[in-house]
Every structure is written in C-alpha cells, then in structure tokens.
Amino acid sequence: MALTVHGMAEIAQLAGRDLGRSRWREVTQELVDAFADVSGDYQWIHTDTERAARGPYGRTIAHGYMILSWGVPLFSELLRVSGVGMALNYGTDRVRFPAPVPVGSRVRLHAEVSGIRQVSRGGIAMTRAFTFELEGSEKPACVAQSLTHFYPAA
C-alpha cells in the first residue's frame, strides 16, 4: 500500500525515507514490441525472437529505457502525493543498466527518497534512488536517480 503525503510540508519530511518495493511486473514480448513501436528501437536483441534465441541471452531482452520508464507506474505504488499544484519530472541522473532483462522475467522497483531541497517558486526538489530489481538476479536491471519538482497549489 502506498504511503500518502499531503502538501509541501509533508513532502519535505520524506528525506532519507525508504519507500519499500513495488509489486513484481512481468516483462512480456508484447510489451517489448510495443516499446519498440513507440521508441523506434527495433534492434534484433529486443524484437527478433528467432535470432535472439541464438544470441548471447538465449532469448529477447527488454529495452533498458523501457524498464526505466516503469519508474512512473511502479513508484505510484509506493508514494501518493496530494495537496500540491503540480509535480514535474525534472530528469534522471546516473542511469545504469547492470543486468539484461530477458523476456519472461519479472522486475520490481525499490525506491528511497535520497534528498529533498528547496527550489524556486516555493518548490521542493525530491531526489529518489531507484533500483529496479530483477527477480533471481544479484544484479539489478537498472539503477537511477530520479528527480521530481513539486510546487505548491496556487
């Protein structure tokens, strides 16, 4: 169940908080193919199941950026914010993809609020440490710092 915070003061209190882990999400070939359609990345390691079966991983693997994009829906399982005017995705830092994610595997998000600081217009910048855990693997699928700015209601 997601932690719910209301307003800027409660967001500011999240510094250093471990938000836990999301549910597992399965990587399917349909999702990989749909991401290829959206991104235009049709590299054979993602979309050609026959060729990938003979490749280094024995099957197709997910796009790294597909897994990173799951930060939005998986994070919403961990934290809900209300009482703000808007939240803006400010970007990501230190993105790495330590392990390939084979189709048929499962991924979940572990998130921590690693930093909170004030920004212009009365806003708060939240830095979140994202670790996309790959079921059965010692290495994560992806690690990243995700940056979000929250601004007060007008």
Side-chain angles (χ1 to χ4, degrees):
M1 185 170 186
L3 171 67
T4 300
V5 295
H6 182 80
M8 304 300 284
E10 289 185 17
I11 293 170
Q13 297 302 311
L14 292 174
R17 178 96 181 239
D18 185 332
L19 298 173
R21 289 166 172 79
S22 70
R23 65 178 172 80
W24 289 105
R25 186 169 186 184
E26 185 176 358
V27 176
T28 66
Q29 189 62 53
E30 292 78 19
L31 288 170
V32 171
D33 290 343
F35 190 84
D37 288 340
V38 169
S39 68
D41 180 355
Y42 292 100
Q43 185 180 171
W44 65 269
I45 198 76
H46 305 303
T47 59
D48 187 335
T49 57
E50 290 180 21
R51 184 174 176 190
R54 299 184 307 274
Y57 307 110
R59 57 186 155 165
T60 52
I61 61 171
H63 302 77
Y65 286 111
M66 182 183 101
I67 300 303
L68 180 61
S69 76
W70 286 3
V72 174
L74 296 180
F75 188 75
S76 72
E77 295 180 19
L78 305 177
L79 180 67
R80 298 207 189 277
V81 176
S82 63
V84 299
M86 68 177 164
L88 297 175
N89 175 7
Y90 191 70
T92 51
D93 287 338
R94 299 186 181 130
V95 178
R96 300 291 183 268
F97 303 104
V101 180
V103 167
S105 59
R106 297 191 321 160
V107 172
R108 71 179 174 187
L109 175 65
H110 177 217
E112 299 176 33
V113 178
S114 55
I116 295 285
R117 65 181 175 81
Q118 298 294 314
V119 292
S120 65
R121 298 179 299 170
I124 294 176
M126 177 188 291
T127 302
R128 304 169 298 185
F130 279 2
T131 302
F132 293 86
E133 298 174 344
L134 179 60
E135 190 173 41
S137 174
E138 290 183 21
K139 291 183 179 180
C142 176
V143 292
Q145 289 181 344
S146 175
L147 311 166
T148 301
H149 287 188
F150 295 92
Y151 294 95

